[in-house]
Amino acid sequence: NAGVTQTPKFQVLKTGQSMTLQCAQDMNHEYMSWYRQDPGMGLRLIHYSVGAGITDQGEVPNGYNVSRSTTEDFPLRLLSAAPSQTSVYFCASSQGTYNEKLFFGSGTQLSVL
Amino acid sequence: AQSVSQHNHHVILSEAASLELGCNYSYGGTVNLFWYVQYPGQHLQLLLKYFSGDPLVKGIKGFEAEFIKSKFSFNLRKPSVQWSDTAEYFCAVNGGYNKLIFGAGTRLAVHP
């Protein structure tokens, strides 16, 4: 049972480049979310989804897009990377709603130069 | 907007010392509260949660937390810490429909 799988683990981008962070879960969880973790700021919610075809914005959605075409996958797209998006990104999922136990991926460390 | 404040950013303790990490939240509605922990090199994982009922909640590894509604607080405690408790601890609160809001985290270092 792999749980929540994030790829890549590390990524370096140049300003203006675009890329997609992948997130997949094999637990048939309805709820999935993306967080970014910055020193001194904890985890901030970027986007979340309560099921296939349904997404919504979190606390810091600007500069990021998401889609949820399947229950398993919830990719995060950076449209035009900026240095302010340098961070560690975590994907999480849970059965039901956010109130259930969240299962986190191992994170993606992104640097934007 | 909902928010979570963790007062201690860094805590250093010796083994066997008692631990209390503060967490305050601002949210006017019914709250669900969580503590998550991130051990070095590991995934974030749930330590304990409060939904309703007994305000004293017990979690894994001997941790407990007390919900005090009048103080909007959910402090984490452990009577005697171990070196293996070295980690970063995050308090979180439901921030409205389907949003879990985290605090800034507290880094705990326990020295043998």
Side-chain angles (χ1 to χ4, degrees), chain A residues 35-107:
Chain A
Y35 287 87
R36 59 177 290 174
Q37 183 181 17
D38 302 290
M41 303 188 76
L43 287 87
R44 291 181 291 170
L45 181 64
I46 304 171
H47 286 285
Y48 64 94
S49 169
V50 298
I54 307 170
T55 64
D56 206 345
Q57 296 181 349
E59 302 170 88
V60 288
N62 292 341
Y64 307 95
N65 274 358
V66 291
S67 60
R68 184 95 180 269
S69 56
T70 67
T71 299
E72 295 77 21
D73 300 300
F74 190 44
L76 178 72
R77 297 182 186 84
L78 280 70
L79 307 174
S80 177
S84 61
Q85 294 178 304
T86 293
S87 186
V88 181
Y89 291 84
F90 288 98
C91 180
S93 73
S94 67
Q95 181 62 46
T97 70
Y98 64 95
N99 275 333
E100 300 296 324
K101 174 182 175 180
L102 279 175
F103 291 81
F104 282 86
S106 58

